[in-house]
Amino acid sequence: MTAGNGDSEALTQTVYRTCPLCEATCGLELRLDGGDITLVRGDRDDVFSHGYLCPKGTALKQLEADPDRLRRPQVRRGDAWSEVSWDDAFAEIERRLTPILDRHGRDAVAMYIGNPNVHNLAGQLYNRVLIQALGSGNLYSASTVDQMPKQVSAGLMFGTGLSIPIPDIDRTDHLLMLGANPFASNGSLMTAPDYPGRIRALRARGGKLVVVDPRRSKTAEEADEHLFIRPGTDAHLLFAIVHTLFAERLVSTGDVGDHVAGADEVDRLARDFAPEVVAPVCGIDADTIRRTARELAAADRAAVYARIGTCTQEFGTLASWLVDVANCLTGNLDRAGGAMFTKPATGSANTGGTPGVGRGVRFGRRHTRVRGLPELFGELPVVCLAEEIDTPGDGQVRGMITVAGNPVLSTPDAGRLDRALASLEFMVSVDIYRNETTRHADVILPPEGALARAHYDLAFYQLSIRNVANYSPPVVDLAPDEMAESEILLRLANIVAGQGASADPGALDDAVVAGLVQKAVQRTGSNVEGRDPDELLEALSSRRGPERILDLMLRTGPYGDGFGADPTGLSLAVLEEAPHGVDLGPLQPRVPEVLRTPSGKIELAPEPIVEDVARLRASLTPGRNGRMVLVGRRDLRSNNSWMHNLDVLVKGKERCTLQVHPEDAARLGLTDGGTACVRSRRGEVAVTVEVTAAIMPGVVSIPHGWGHGVDGADLSVAAGRPGVNTNLLADGDLFDPLSGNAVLNGIPVTVEPTPAPVPA
Ligand code: SF4
């Protein structure tokens, strides 16, 4: 594995690739002139997206060509940055990181994995090698700012963290959606290219979409019914729906009934959440709650789907749990048109081992040093990261590795984290930009461009509304001095493992693959169980890097060829012959085989969740958020913080605005286009006001991921339209205790007009 020689053929060619920019996995048709993209459009023959794409997809051209994108390693001395060779960069890392590990132990170096890693095959496969080599307990990711509650509830109910029921929207008649705006996001924890088209098809066939959201989002505008809800009260509403199902004898668990445990306990818990009790808390009247429950139960095929707004709140795990409780109690879990389980081609934790039973999930195997919050799925809540850096004592974090992350813009209490990162003894970042976070790094290692890397959506095909597999090979060579991300991560792994900066990354890669093959042949029920590992390694020997591991995963996955055991099965070679992807069909019922709980049951009332209901019950106080509360929002042309440096996506009307209802604006003296000061317990921002009836009274909204233009970052376009950083307002002390997930929706704030500047 070496840096490339830049011999891209100067040919005009058309290639097909999966868009790596969001969860929808759209197929793209790209025209290339040499290594440059000259045209991007939707791949009409893609088996999943059928030609759909959004404005972000076409911006791949600008992203690849962005002059601010780093192309060679950067080293910082004081405030001055200089380009260095790869060897010098790794030597610097070894020189400065190794002593921290030697003197203070493994936990002294933390790692933060940003959201783009889930869109990135090399990141998915090789971050875990680096994590293992580092051996630090201080592992953090974007998961605890957006989705951990869903993983926790899925783990407790079904046995693995990604056993998340996915709404079968192509076959459903009724979709109840909370806290999600797929017309802007294109779907989340639910892979469905052309979500808008699928929603319109649902309605065209007579189905109904009900959206519950504190904002009348684009999705809410397209719905049959929109219910405004007070932020942070989705669990209350869902409990009232469950209450109604039991009270009106509408419960029917359908085909999964024999595999359900805990329904009586849910009935008991729901009794405190009658619609009349919940209505003044959530702002939806009792009759509407009852009707919503009845319609859900009466629909032939229905699904409840909830996303970011329900996760990023103080009752995130309870809300996530109640979504699947409602699906189950209405007989819609695991049936066509309901909420179903994907079976991904590369396998997952719920396709291996003994079908129908497992070890379940365990949390809290370690705790954060300062606040004592428990570990979840191997990582710690990111609300604790800043204090782990800036609180002196044994185990203090002194060094940091970030991979494709910008936590200064995307995690709570951003001001404190910003200062904490500046105090580190050493920081290395793998990133294509010098952004608000990586400006604190001492070394930045930029990976190769999107066209020079293999792509396969390992994560999102586990959450897809159809079973699909689509592989995109690299279509250009590495440019001179460019290095593949897989090699960067392996070299870092060699350094932190004490092997040295010059150790052969290829040898580590070989060892990784040998270990994976060994596991595959030893796994009970595997399609290569008991086979000779050397035979499999020989069959994989023509490939290297991410492709070799991907081939192994496909061949040993649920549709795999088993290295010859099933000649019609999947392998990477099969996908290479299918540039528009392979459709493996609609989702199929998987209960009980999908379950990995110790009981072999769907656990409707897991103990940690039952215990947390007392906290929800205690919150049944009308108007308890007496002040204004802040929520986020998503924009079609934005994806968290990292696509704001592309003029094609940020031009036009300002999007980082404070949305406020006309009644509140009048009461507070705010004017459309004026400036407001928004203040929380943690900080304040001054932001442009947008007065709109699309937001409910008492709630204001600012999109997250903005706040550019700070010293030391090098994002010239973003600096021209900086917006404000809402995470300066988010409070690290506010989190969902079961998941450690940050509260980013429902932050108490005060809002007042900012006085106009006095003329000089
Ligand atoms: S919806 Fe997502 S995957 Fe599809 S083109 Fe847009 S950014 Fe890419």
Side-chain angles (χ1 to χ4, degrees), residues 331-348:
N332 287 304
L333 185 67
D334 200 44
R335 73 157 167 172
M340 307 188 76
F341 297 95
T342 308
K343 186 184 270 192
T346 49
S348 64

Side-chain angles (χ1 to χ4, degrees), residues 167-169 171-177 195 198-212 219-220 222-227 287-305 337:
D168 186 13
I169 57 170
R171 293 183 287 186
T172 198
D173 302 314
H174 186 100
L175 185 58
L176 173 61
M177 183 183 295
Y195 210 120
R198 294 174 197 273
I199 289 292
R200 287 173 185 139
L202 181 161
R203 297 188 64 213
R205 64 176 178 265
K208 180 170 181 178
L209 172 66
V210 180
V211 170
V212 180
T219 307
E222 298 276 342
D224 298 274
E225 184 176 7
H226 170 219
L227 305 175
D287 287 346
T288 302
I289 295 173
R290 284 210 171 79
R291 178 173 55 78
T292 302
R294 288 172 194 146
E295 288 179 359
L296 191 64
D300 281 345
R301 301 172 296 182
V304 185
Y305 166 66

Side-chain angles (χ1 to χ4, degrees), residues 19 21-26 28 52-54 56-57 186:
C19 177
L21 301 179
C22 92
E23 300 186 29
T25 74
C26 299
L28 301 180
Y52 177 81
L53 87 172
C54 83
K56 291 194 293 293
N186 279 296

Side-chain angles (χ1 to χ4, degrees), residues 281-602:
V281 179
C282 70
I284 299 172
D285 67 77
D287 287 346
T288 302
I289 295 173
R290 284 210 171 79
R291 178 173 55 78
T292 302
R294 288 172 194 146
E295 288 179 359
L296 191 64
D300 281 345
R301 301 172 296 182
V304 185
Y305 166 66
R307 204 31 210 113
I308 190 105
T310 61
C311 282
T312 52
Q313 56 164 283
E314 58 185 317
F315 302 109
T317 304
L318 290 175
S320 300
W321 162 67
L322 286 162
V323 165
D324 292 323
V325 167
N327 280 322
C328 185
L329 296 180
T330 52
N332 287 304
L333 185 67
D334 200 44
R335 73 157 167 172
M340 307 188 76
F341 297 95
T342 308
K343 186 184 270 192
T346 49
S348 64
N350 65 36
T351 65
T354 308
V357 70
R359 281 181 299 183
V361 291
R362 267 184 55 214
F363 305 128
R365 288 166 289 190
R366 61 180 190 280
H367 293 77
T368 63
R369 176 180 63 105
V370 178
R371 221 185 302 179
L373 295 195
E375 157 273 346
L376 304 119
F377 298 108
E379 62 183 278
L380 298 174
V382 77
V383 291
C384 299
L385 177 56
E387 69 202 26
E388 292 296 326
I389 298 172
D390 68 17
T391 307
D394 281 352
Q396 180 181 6
V397 170
R398 297 160 190 270
M400 186 88 200
I401 301 172
T402 71
V403 184
N406 194 354
V408 167
L409 293 195
S410 56
T411 67
D413 210 351
R416 183 177 181 183
L417 181 61
D418 194 40
R419 292 187 295 277
L421 292 178
S423 73
L424 287 167
E425 291 175 25
F426 184 73
M427 173 168 158
V428 54
S429 294
V430 179
D431 210 293
I432 61 171
Y433 285 124
R434 188 174 349 130
N435 61 30
E436 294 72 19
T437 295
T438 61
R439 72 188 170 123
H440 293 300
D442 296 282
V443 180
I444 305 178
L445 305 171
E448 79 278 42
L451 301 184
R453 58 174 59 201
H455 181 81
Y456 183 93
D457 277 298
L458 276 183
F460 301 124
Y461 291 148
Q462 296 190 45
L463 301 165
S464 177
I465 60 161
R466 288 183 74 86
N467 292 312
V468 172
N470 200 339
Y471 166 70
S472 308
V475 290
V476 300
D477 292 338
L478 291 172
D481 292 336
E482 212 175 25
M483 186 175 280
E485 185 160 355
S486 53
E487 180 168 353
I488 294 171
L489 295 171
L490 285 166
R491 285 190 174 221
L492 284 174
N494 272 334
I495 291 172
V496 298
Q499 300 299 307
S502 54
D504 178 11
L508 177 56
D509 195 28
D510 288 344
V512 167
V513 173
L516 293 171
V517 166
Q518 195 67 39
K519 274 190 192 155
V521 299
Q522 289 173 349
R523 195 164 47 234
T524 307
S526 154
N527 61 4
V528 292
E529 186 181 358
R531 296 269 289 273
D532 177 3
D534 288 339
E535 175 208 344
L536 271 57
L537 285 168
E538 175 60 26
L540 294 165
S541 62
S542 64
R543 303 186 187 276
R544 283 290 177 275
E547 291 97 325
R548 179 165 52 166
I549 300 178
L550 177 61
D551 195 22
L552 173 66
M553 294 173 79
L554 288 165
R555 299 178 81 169
T556 56
Y559 312 87
D561 75 352
F563 288 84
D566 175 5
T568 64
L570 270 190
S571 64
L572 189 52
V574 171
L575 296 190
E576 284 170 329
E577 294 300 313
H580 309 291
V582 171
D583 180 20
L584 300 162
L587 304 189
Q588 302 293 329
R590 290 193 58 194
V591 172
E593 155 279 307
V594 72
L595 301 174
R596 293 294 183 276
T597 50
S599 63
K601 298 283 188 188
I602 297 165

Side-chain angles (χ1 to χ4, degrees), residues 66 68 644-647 650 715-722:
D66 187 350
D68 288 340
H644 295 160
N645 205 48
L646 306 179
D647 187 57
V650 295
L715 297 165
S716 54
V717 173
R721 310 198 61 136

